[in-house]
Amino acid sequence: LVSSFEDPKDSYSVHLTSDLLEKNSGTVFINLWSWAGKVVRNWTINYDLLPLESKQIYLNSITSMLQGNSREDCLIAVEARDLKNNILSSNVFYLSSLSKVFLYTPRISISSYVQQSSNEVSFQVVSDQVSPFTYFDTTLCGHFNDNAVLLLPAIPVVVRFIGCGDFTAKQLQVSLQIKVIKDTY
């Protein structure tokens, strides 16, 4: 599990926690994104965790990280990956209230509907802009494995819908709706 927080004195800290009963190694990627959809700065930290260990792996001042950018212009996205480059955990840290940022109108596309079982379909979502809290809805009975997700430009996210009963990928495709924060104002 990767988590991050800011203390009252402008310090940004990233912690990593392992719930494995064996040593775990990999890399943590910290990306400072602009709301305009560009990576402004990035940091890469290699880690080794003992079984069930938790430790701080990064500490820096937010002012130093921003290098002249404002809090309203950026957000921080963090990913922990194992040695095989599998994403183990991710975290987003918003540097200001979303009401204070300029959100661009995203163009979101959905592709690759795959029938995983008689009551489960996965699909891939991609945005051309940063789109926080992107929400999926359908008239089908069931739930999404993840919802209100952060979409970053050109980075695909795979979402699964698990139905209360059997349904087809086509039924989900026809009924699926996407809502973004920009739609609410």
Side-chain angles (χ1 to χ4, degrees):
L1 172 71
V2 65
S3 60
S4 63
F5 66 91
E6 176 185 8
D7 76 13
K9 298 177 185 159
D10 189 47
S11 289
Y12 176 73
S13 179
V14 177
H15 288 252
L16 198 57
T17 301
S18 173
D19 61 355
L20 301 175
L21 296 175
E22 58 194 33
K23 184 179 173 185
N24 183 12
S25 299
T27 306
V28 171
F29 299 94
I30 303 171
N31 291 308
L32 180 68
W33 283 85
S34 73
W35 287 103
K38 306 286 184 223
V39 175
V40 177
R41 295 187 68 198
N42 58 41
W43 299 264
T44 302
I45 300 109
N46 293 321
Y47 70 86
D48 292 305
L49 287 177
L50 298 173
L52 306 175
E53 182 181 18
S54 181
K55 67 180 176 182
Q56 179 182 55
I57 59 163
Y58 182 79
L59 179 66
N60 198 351
S61 78
I62 290 179
T63 302
S64 170
M65 292 173 73
L66 287 172
Q67 283 192 337
N69 292 291
S70 76
R71 286 176 167 267
E72 290 78 18
D73 291 337
C74 299
L75 67 124
I76 300 171
V78 183
E79 278 185 351
R81 293 180 175 257
D82 64 16
L83 293 175
K84 295 179 182 175
N85 207 30
N86 297 311
I87 297 174
L88 301 176
S89 179
S90 60
N91 180 272
V92 179
F93 188 80
Y94 297 103
L95 294 165
S96 70
S97 167
L98 291 178
S99 67
K100 295 180 180 179
V101 304
F102 178 81
L103 292 175
Y104 295 82
T105 302
R107 280 179 292 176
I108 297 172
S109 62
I110 301 176
S111 61
S112 304
Y113 287 87
V114 177
Q115 190 86 41
Q116 302 291 338
S117 69
S118 62
N119 73 329
E120 183 178 330
V121 170
S122 65
F123 55 93
Q124 183 173 285
V125 185
V126 178
S127 177
D128 69 336
Q129 299 290 335
V130 176
S131 182
F133 299 103
T134 305
Y135 178 79
F136 309 105
D137 197 9
T138 180
T139 55
L140 298 173
C141 178
H143 67 277
F144 295 91
N145 72 311
D146 201 359
N147 214 337
V149 298
L150 171 68
L151 296 178
L152 297 169
I155 299 176
V157 173
V158 175
V159 178
R160 292 181 300 125
F161 179 77
I162 300 95
C164 297
D166 294 350
F167 69 97
T168 65
K170 185 67 174 172
Q171 287 174 301
L172 179 62
Q173 185 177 4
V174 169
S175 67
L176 186 64
Q177 295 181 3
I178 300 175
K179 298 178 182 172
V180 297
I181 287 181
K182 190 80 171 161
D183 293 339
T184 63
Y185 60 90

